[in-house]
């Protein structure tokens, strides 16, 4: 049996995990993820009671009860690299014995729903739309650092996409992961569903041009015209690929749902999107 060394699993002096500063007993098995630490407070404002409120860097965790369900709200900050931290530590909190530093014999499955903001890439995903990531396509390359079993990634979709857009070999190889099907239907049965790209940056990697010119000015047009088995790429965001990919790799039910706040086709933007996000939070709380 492998004993996980202190340099691999860092446990703080108070018994909490390194980045999140959360102890195993403080996390629920149903978790809502979001980028903004302040959004955790907004989510938890709907709870009937609150057990804990922990802030560490950009990682904010609040656990409480909502209509008889124990739920944690956890912020992850911006980017797929942060998801690598947060999902690994959330999994360790429920599936590793901190006293012996060994994996528990019985696996605990987490339900993970990320609520985010996003840029719409199709006419079916204009500003104000709620979009569920049926598939997540990672431009970040982070999941490629892990040993993944056959079937975890959709290699055919990946190959079709790379051929369609003439993918630049200097960039990380895209990877495609299907979200948990039952969770997608439960949360997003009345929402737009499609393929979501998770980019490793907000500007150039999403085709935004301020002063530094993207390497391929036509990439977004090629992305918008891609279709795979009836699904199109509906939106850009920055974390869903690792939520879906690492979540599935670790044996959890995971998905992302986003409120579209930027119209990348119409080139419009809603900076006052808090009402839209709160409406999405309320739907997810009822359905999770």
């Amino acid at each position: 049996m492998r004993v996980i060394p202190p340099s691999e699993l860092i446990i703080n002096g108070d018994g909490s995990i390194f980045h999140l500063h959360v102890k195993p007993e403080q996390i629920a098995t149903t978790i809502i993820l979001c980028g903004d630490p302040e959004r955790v407070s907004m989510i938890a404002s709907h709870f009937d009671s609150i057990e804990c409120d922990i802030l560490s860097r950009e990682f904010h965790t609040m656990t409480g009860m909502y209509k008889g369900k124990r739920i944690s709200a956890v912020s992850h900050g911006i980017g797929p690299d942060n998801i690598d931290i947060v999902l690994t530590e959330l999994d360790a909190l429920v599936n590793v014995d901190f006293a012996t530093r060994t994996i528990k014999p019985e696996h605990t499955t987490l339900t993970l729903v990320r609520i985010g903001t996003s840029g719409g890439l199709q006419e079916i995903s204009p500003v104000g739309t709620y979009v569920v990531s049926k598939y997540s396509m990672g431009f970040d390359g982070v999941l490629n650092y892990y040993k993944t079993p056959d079937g975890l990634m959709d290699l055919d979709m990946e190959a079709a996409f790379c051929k369609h857009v003439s993918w630049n070999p200097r960039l990380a190889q895209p990877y495609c992961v299907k979200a948990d099907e039952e969770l997608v239907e439960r949360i997003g049965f009345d929402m737009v569903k499609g393929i979501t790209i998770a980019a490793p940056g907000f500007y150039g990697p999403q085709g935004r041009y301020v002063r530094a010119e993207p390497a391929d000015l036509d990439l977004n047009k090629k992305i918008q015209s891609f279709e795979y088995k009836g699904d199109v790429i509906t939106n850009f965001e920055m974390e869903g690929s690792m939520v879906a990919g690492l979540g599935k790799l670790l044996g959890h039910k995971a998905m992302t749902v986003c409120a579209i706040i930027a119209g990348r086709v119409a080139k419009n933007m809603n900076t006052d999107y808090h009402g839209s996000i709160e409406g999405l939070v309320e739907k997810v709380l009822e359905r999770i």
Side-chain angles (χ1 to χ4, degrees):
M1 180 180 293
R2 177 177 176 242
V3 177
I4 306 168
S7 61
E8 307 292 302
L9 175 65
I10 306 169
I11 300 173
N12 299 314
D14 64 356
S16 65
I17 201 154
F18 185 58
H19 293 93
L20 298 183
H21 270 266
V22 173
K23 299 176 183 178
E25 66 269 18
Q26 294 174 319
I27 203 72
T29 56
T30 299
I31 301 170
I32 297 176
L33 300 167
C34 60
D36 185 352
E38 291 187 5
R39 195 170 298 155
V40 168
S41 300
M42 185 268 279
I43 295 168
S45 70
H46 296 275
F47 291 175
D48 301 313
S49 61
I50 293 173
E51 296 175 25
C52 64
D53 185 349
I54 303 159
L55 183 62
S56 173
R57 307 185 193 191
E58 62 266 57
F59 310 117
H60 187 190
T61 301
M62 295 182 74
T63 298
M65 296 297 294
Y66 177 81
K67 296 185 178 181
K69 296 179 287 188
R70 187 169 186 251
I71 298 175
S72 292
V74 180
S75 67
H76 49 66
I78 298 174
D81 49 338
N82 275 13
I83 301 299
D84 181 58
I85 292 170
V86 172
L87 258 65
T88 298
E89 295 195 358
L90 289 174
D91 175 76
L93 286 168
V94 298
N95 285 311
V96 175
D97 184 323
F98 279 22
T100 62
R101 293 184 167 275
T102 58
I103 297 171
K104 294 178 180 179
E106 292 187 9
H107 179 269
T108 296
T109 300
L110 298 172
T111 296
L112 302 158
V113 176
R114 177 179 122 70
I115 297 176
T117 55
S118 185
L121 287 165
Q122 303 288 344
E123 291 184 0
I124 61 170
S125 52
V127 169
T129 308
Y130 296 152
V131 176
V132 171
S133 303
K134 180 179 176 182
Y135 291 93
S136 286
M137 182 180 294
F139 282 7
D140 52 273
V142 179
L143 192 65
N144 295 329
Y145 285 88
Y146 288 92
K147 183 178 181 180
T148 54
D150 292 344
L152 188 140
M153 295 184 278
D154 191 323
L155 301 181
D156 291 338
M157 181 191 290
E158 177 185 311
F161 175 79
C162 289
K163 180 179 180 180
H164 181 81
V165 303
S166 300
W167 188 252
N168 185 343
R170 288 179 59 84
L171 303 177
Q173 186 78 0
Y175 59 90
C176 307
V177 181
K178 192 172 188 179
D180 184 85
E181 293 183 62
E182 185 277 329
L183 198 55
V184 163
E185 287 306 314
R186 190 193 335 157
I187 301 294
F189 62 87
D190 55 354
M191 301 177 188
V192 173
K193 301 178 188 67
I195 305 165
T196 298
I197 290 174
F202 184 80
Y203 291 98
Q206 295 187 38
R208 287 187 171 93
Y209 183 8
V210 180
R211 286 209 319 119
E213 183 175 329
D216 185 352
L217 286 171
D218 293 323
L219 180 58
N220 279 7
K221 290 181 180 178
K222 291 182 280 189
I223 287 170
Q224 288 163 3
S225 63
F226 177 71
E227 183 177 333
Y228 184 78
K229 296 183 178 179
D231 289 309
V232 297
I233 296 174
T234 47
N235 56 316
F236 263 126
E237 48 90 76
M238 295 179 62
E239 293 87 18
S241 57
M242 279 296 285
V243 170
L246 190 57
K248 182 175 285 189
L249 182 62
L250 293 170
H252 303 302
K253 295 168 67 69
M255 61 158 284
T256 291
V257 57
C258 289
I260 302 298
I261 65 168
R264 301 304 303 280
V265 178
K267 298 189 182 299
N268 58 343
M269 177 73 195
N270 174 23
T271 56
D272 186 20
Y273 54 82
H274 302 287
S276 179
I277 279 288
E278 185 142 15
L280 181 54
V281 165
E282 290 170 357
K283 284 181 181 289
V284 171
L285 280 169
E286 288 296 320
R287 298 172 184 183
I288 200 170

